[in-house]
Amino acid sequence: MTEGRLLVLDDDADVGQTLGMIAEGAGLEWLYTGNAGDFFHQLAQWNPTHLAIDLVMPDMDGVQVMQKLAEMDCRAGVIITSGVGSRVLDAARRSASEHGLNVLGVASKPFSLPTLRDMLRRRGNGAARIGHLQHFSLDQFQITREDLERGLEARELVMAYQPKLHCGTGELSGFEVLVRWQHPEAGLIMPDHFIPLAEEVGLITLLTQQVLDSSLSWFAHHCGHRPLTLAVNISARDLVEFRFADQVAELCSKWNVAPETLTIELTESSAMEDPVLSLDLLTRLRMKGFHLSIDDFGTGFSSMVQLARLPFSEVKVDKSFVMNAMISTEARTVTRSIVELAANLGLKSTAEGVEDGETLAFLKEIGCDQAQGYYISVPLWGDEAVAWMKNH
Ligand code: G
Ligand code: G
Ligand code: MN
């Protein structure tokens, strides 16, 4: 049975032939082209589902071909092939992904048969990246301070909860709360569009209080009787409030949630904003029993310094590494190293951006503690999260 159509672009016909045979073995039809002109012609005529593109060619190189594919908004699965070193291949992969192409993987010559077969099967795997919570395009809509103030007053923030699993057992370990704003005119607004404004105009303290109050209430009602954790994101500006640690402690006691169940996530770049202040305030949070997690680890400026210096208890491996662990040797190596680094420092590790089962298995194998991502679940509304827990 035919599973798809592979269009090969390679200036070496023998290599094209080899790829074709592998594709045939995987149940795909295939067609070989030796230059970019023929390639684009067949692309339009034959409507392939898979593309194998050689990086280094005489007329138009693979990077240019992929740029053009991106401009055409091509949805076919792309496999990048080449004899160049793996770091160059990896950079080409990243460039293609950042251009929005659906990259299935990279293959260095000589090809490994199982690896290629795997990639050819992968196409349906471009899993739902967006999740089912709809995003709103804010192009036409300008949020103002007044608006945000009114929204907070009217309690328009809504919480989504994303499940986290223990890698070792596959059991539920807890939830991360991710805030959204249900705006009366603009619809559902994602945090990237209003958190920076809240920070800028001095409303973040109020916002964080509402997120904590609302999520602790939900957690107390639905998870209080189980050994689960709740993770909340805070902003560096929250730490400017001297009483922050006390306020969090008060909210925990209001909802009867033990401080040890709450993990406070702070991105490493925020932790650096005012290093001395953060050191004091983060230390106070730890002294009260809260867990502290360094979020998006690996993306900041001086990750190692902050990790050694500040009293974190958990590291969250940034999703840019985790998401690509199955298609990039480099991403896999960075993920493993961060998990090992965390373990060596006596910290827990959570991988975010787990989008397939292979990645989850890999994380278990390297001893990562927890996993979070679309493969497990997208962020869910409170009632959906309760239903999810029943079924898990
Ligand atoms: O699902 P997602 O688009 O929700 O989240 C986007 C970003 O917004 C993430 O980096 C996340 O850390 C941040 N974020 C989500 N909820 C909160 C929150 O309650 N407070 C802060 N400060 N950041 C949040
Ligand atoms: O706080 P932080 O920056 O870690 O927020 C997590 C962000 O990642 C949120 O925007 C959330 O919706 C998103 N997210 C969660 N799981 C996945 C995943 O598997 N893939 C991708 N691409 N994003 C994810
Ligand atoms: Mn987070």
Side-chain angles (χ1 to χ4, degrees):
M1 201 186 115
T2 307
E3 304 244 335
R5 286 184 299 278
L6 170 72
L7 181 62
V8 180
L9 171 60
D10 201 303
D11 59 324
D12 184 336
D14 289 341
V15 174
Q17 183 78 23
T18 310
L19 277 170
M21 298 323 289
I22 296 173
E24 213 166 293
L28 277 82
E29 286 178 58
W30 64 281
L31 201 64
Y32 165 77
T33 54
N35 62 65
D38 289 352
F39 173 81
F40 283 105
H41 178 73
Q42 291 299 344
L43 182 70
Q45 292 295 310
W46 195 50
N47 196 23
T49 54
H50 295 66
L51 307 172
I53 298 166
D54 184 17
L55 215 47
V56 189
M57 290 173 300
D59 62 335
M60 187 190 214
D61 71 49
V63 174
Q64 290 171 298
V65 170
M66 289 188 290
Q67 271 172 8
K68 197 163 164 196
L69 287 170
E71 278 164 26
M72 298 162 63
D73 208 16
C74 170
R75 302 314 312 147
V78 177
I79 297 171
I80 308 170
T81 66
S82 185
V84 299
S86 78
R87 294 192 60 81
V88 177
L89 258 178
D90 192 59
R93 175 194 59 75
R94 240 176 298 121
S95 144
S97 296
E98 280 165 23
H99 276 97
L101 291 180
N102 174 19
V103 182
L104 302 176
V106 295
S108 0
K109 301 172 188 175
F111 300 128
S112 135
L113 190 65
T115 314
L116 258 173
R117 266 205 207 120
D118 240 38
M119 288 178 202
L120 288 166
R121 287 204 193 100
R122 213 173 257 164
R123 116 181 119 125
N125 228 6
R129 291 244 153 139
I130 303 155
H132 74 287
L133 298 179
Q134 41 170 328
H135 293 233
F136 177 76
S137 151
L138 283 169
D139 297 346
Q140 325 292 338
F141 198 89
Q142 196 60 43
I143 309 172
T144 61
R145 186 211 147 97
E146 289 68 39
D147 204 12
L148 184 57
E149 212 163 7
R150 186 203 47 73
L152 288 171
E153 185 90 8
R155 292 258 165 183
E156 287 169 6
L157 296 185
V158 281
M159 308 304 144
Y161 300 90
Q162 189 174 34
K164 293 169 67 173
L165 300 185
H166 292 290
C167 293
T169 60
E171 280 170 53
L172 178 67
S173 69
F175 293 92
E176 175 177 1
V177 54
L178 296 157
V179 70
R180 283 91 178 81
W181 179 8
Q182 189 64 60
H183 192 282
E185 289 147 53
L188 192 70
I189 310 180
M190 300 305 270
D192 291 335
H193 295 286
F194 61 90
I195 297 283
L197 174 71
E199 290 172 345
E200 206 175 294
V201 302
L203 287 171
I204 193 72
T205 311
L206 186 57
L207 185 149
T208 305
Q209 295 286 314
Q210 287 199 7
V211 171
L212 278 164
D213 194 45
S214 160
S215 59
L216 283 167
S217 154
W218 177 83
F219 187 83
H221 282 103
H222 301 286
C223 309
H225 52 293
R226 298 175 54 174
L228 297 176
T229 58
L230 179 70
V232 180
N233 296 284
I234 66 160
S235 141
R237 299 292 162 87
D238 281 310
L239 298 178
V240 175
E241 165 61 59
F242 174 73
R243 294 190 60 254
F244 183 69
D246 303 301
Q247 289 170 346
V248 182
E250 277 159 25
L251 284 167
C252 277
S253 72
K254 170 178 172 190
W255 294 109
N256 200 17
V257 171
E260 292 73 23
T261 13
L262 190 69
T263 299
I264 294 170
E265 297 191 3
L266 186 67
T267 60
E268 50 173 319
S269 28
S270 333
M272 280 198 22
E273 244 176 54
D274 186 341
V276 178
L277 189 70
S278 327
L279 180 55
D280 290 351
L281 288 161
L282 295 179
T283 305
R284 295 195 62 225
L285 282 167
R286 287 290 288 136
M287 282 161 38
K288 290 194 182 289
F290 302 113
H291 288 284
L292 272 182
S293 181
I294 185 162
D295 207 352
D296 301 343
F297 187 78
T299 57
F301 196 51
S302 58
S303 319
M304 296 289 191
V305 179
Q306 298 318 319
L307 194 57
R309 190 177 157 267
L310 297 170
F312 288 102
S313 50
E314 182 195 71
V315 174
K316 284 192 92 170
V317 187
D318 188 66
K319 57 178 178 287
S320 62
F321 306 119
V322 180
M323 277 167 59
N324 291 316
M326 291 301 107
I327 57 174
S328 149
T329 318
E330 278 77 8
R332 190 156 54 245
T333 305
V334 173
T335 303
R336 179 185 284 121
S337 302
I338 295 176
V339 168
E340 275 170 14
L341 175 66
N344 291 339
L345 290 170
L347 311 179
K348 296 274 182 220
S349 49
T350 293
E352 59 183 9
V354 179
E355 295 189 347
D356 53 58
E358 288 104 317
T359 304
L360 189 57
F362 165 71
L363 291 168
K364 181 177 179 179
E365 181 194 310
I366 63 174
C368 183
D369 294 301
Q370 293 172 34
Q372 178 181 349
Y374 295 164
Y375 177 68
I376 298 154
S377 168
V378 298
L380 304 167
W381 299 130
D383 52 345
E384 297 173 321
V386 172
W388 189 94
M389 258 192 289
K390 292 214 177 84
N391 293 325
H392 181 71

